[in-house]
Amino acid sequence: MATLLLVGAGVIAVVVEAGSDSSYGPAARSGPAGRTIDAPATVAGYHLITGEAAVGLSARVPGATPERYWFYTDTPDGTRPSLVFNASTTQWDPKLARENATHSLSWGLTNFFAGAKIEDPQDVDAGPLGGAMQCGHQIGRGAVVCRWGDASTVGSVAVLGITDIHQAGAIALQFRSAAEH
């Protein structure tokens, strides 16, 4: 009986400790809600692809998704993407709003990276907007993908041709800071 009580006390301590860690609480409690996303024209030396080229690239995005996609090139007036930026808000996506109300930021990041086949995602600086951000290598694609989440937005930046996690994280943070309001 004494062993059972000690084990029970240990489980309660773990549950209380886990429950007090913000990464285990609902994402909706992770910061300000009601933020919006706008695609910036230029960030970190990358330029938004517009016009027919953007329409053609957008047509390649699979299926109907509430996330919006924007393609960027590292040369002015270029049409070949070197970075893909996508994002969603709880205003655009009722499913994201429900998930944020019941699941943690960690849960959202883990599911994203598993589905996107990202190797060994690592925590990187989410910046002053808060929430959480991780970056990892996309298997077989030659890209580093960074994903952030907060109370009302999710977004990712896939940087082609860069293999350094922290360099890609710095670029993703610049995109997030320029796009999320």
Side-chain angles (χ1 to χ4, degrees):
M1 180 76 165
T3 304
L4 181 59
L5 289 176
L6 288 176
V7 171
V11 170
I12 290 171
V14 170
V15 171
V16 169
E17 183 178 60
S20 63
D21 182 350
S22 63
S23 64
Y24 290 101
R29 288 192 246 148
S30 67
R35 290 188 178 148
T36 61
I37 301 281
D38 295 309
T42 304
V43 177
Y46 293 92
H47 308 274
L48 180 64
I49 297 173
T50 59
E52 260 183 61
V55 171
L57 290 166
S58 294
R60 295 181 187 174
V61 174
T65 175
E67 289 198 21
R68 297 183 184 168
Y69 285 77
W70 300 275
F71 301 89
Y72 287 79
T73 181
D74 54 6
T75 58
D77 299 322
T79 58
R80 182 181 171 141
S82 49
L83 182 144
V84 179
F85 167 49
N86 65 294
S88 189
T89 71
T90 53
Q91 295 169 342
W92 301 342
D93 184 0
K95 180 180 175 190
L96 175 62
R98 285 189 305 275
E99 287 175 354
N100 276 2
T102 57
H103 297 290
S104 69
L105 294 174
S106 298
W107 179 89
L109 290 172
T110 298
N111 282 327
F112 172 81
F113 285 118
K117 295 182 171 76
I118 305 297
E119 287 184 334
D120 193 28
Q122 300 174 26
D123 291 337
V124 295
D125 182 15
L129 295 172
M133 184 162 51
Q134 294 181 335
C135 299
H137 295 97
Q138 190 167 31
I139 300 169
R141 297 281 179 148
V144 173
V145 177
C146 299
R147 178 78 165 183
W148 78 82
D150 61 35
S152 61
T153 68
V154 294
S156 59
V157 171
V159 188
L160 309 173
I162 290 183
T163 59
D164 183 84
I165 295 282
H166 297 288
Q167 181 182 7
I171 293 168
L173 182 56
Q174 289 177 60
F175 265 84
R176 181 182 184 202
S177 297
E180 188 174 331
H181 313 284

